[in-house]
């Protein structure tokens, strides 16, 4: 059998703090074994497991890999507003007049991710 992706690991300056943001963004949960100040924090959510690891290096360049989020129960624009209220910022707006496109955002530590159209908006 081939390997499976166990989780996606994201380097950051404060693992628990960034895990709190992503747990809220993905309606997930932080592992019961992780606490503020721990060097690692695991978030599990439907379809994803994200491991945040505290590292001494600051983020210096654009991500080579990023997450694409697809809202399940709201529109793309509603999801952008919700995630911005959690602390993310818009860094690129690729929405088109016909409703296609996406929004590139950054989490509180500057890691980029995209918010795409919902399933309902694609139909």
């Amino acid at each position: 059998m081939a390997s499976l992706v166990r989780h996606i690991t994201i380097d950051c300056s404060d693992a628990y703090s960034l895990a709190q943001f992503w747990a809220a963004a993905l309606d997930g949960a932080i592992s019961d074994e992780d606490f503020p100040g721990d060097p690692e924090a695991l978030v599990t959510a439907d379809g994803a497991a994200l491991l945040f690891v505290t590292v001494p290096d600051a983020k210096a360049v654009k991500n080579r890999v990023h997450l694409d989020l697809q809202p399940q129960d709201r529109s793309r624009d509603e999801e952008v507003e919700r995630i911005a209220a959690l602390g993310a910022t818009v860094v690129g707006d690729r929405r088109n007049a016909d409703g296609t496109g996406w929004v590139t955002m950054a989490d509180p530590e500057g890691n980029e991710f995209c918010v795409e159209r919902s399933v309902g908006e694609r139909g």
Side-chain angles (χ1 to χ4, degrees), residues 62-121:
K62 182 182 182 298
N63 297 9
R64 296 283 309 255
V65 176
H66 67 268
L67 304 177
D68 288 336
L69 306 184
Q70 183 180 51
Q72 299 300 297
D73 61 352
R74 59 183 58 89
S75 71
R76 174 198 54 215
D77 296 346
E78 291 169 332
E79 186 70 344
V80 167
E81 289 179 23
R82 185 183 77 83
I83 294 175
L86 295 173
T89 56
V90 173
V91 296
D93 193 336
R94 303 292 300 260
R95 290 178 277 197
N96 300 310
D98 67 357
T100 61
W102 64 91
V103 177
T104 302
M105 302 185 79
D107 69 21
E109 289 203 13
N111 300 301
E112 295 93 359
F113 61 96
C114 294
V115 180
E116 300 180 346
R117 293 180 297 158
S118 67
V119 173
E121 291 172 305

Side-chain angles (χ1 to χ4, degrees), residues 37-55:
D38 284 355
E40 298 180 357
L42 179 66
V43 172
T44 54
D46 287 345
L50 304 177
L51 178 64
F52 298 90
V53 178
T54 300
V55 298

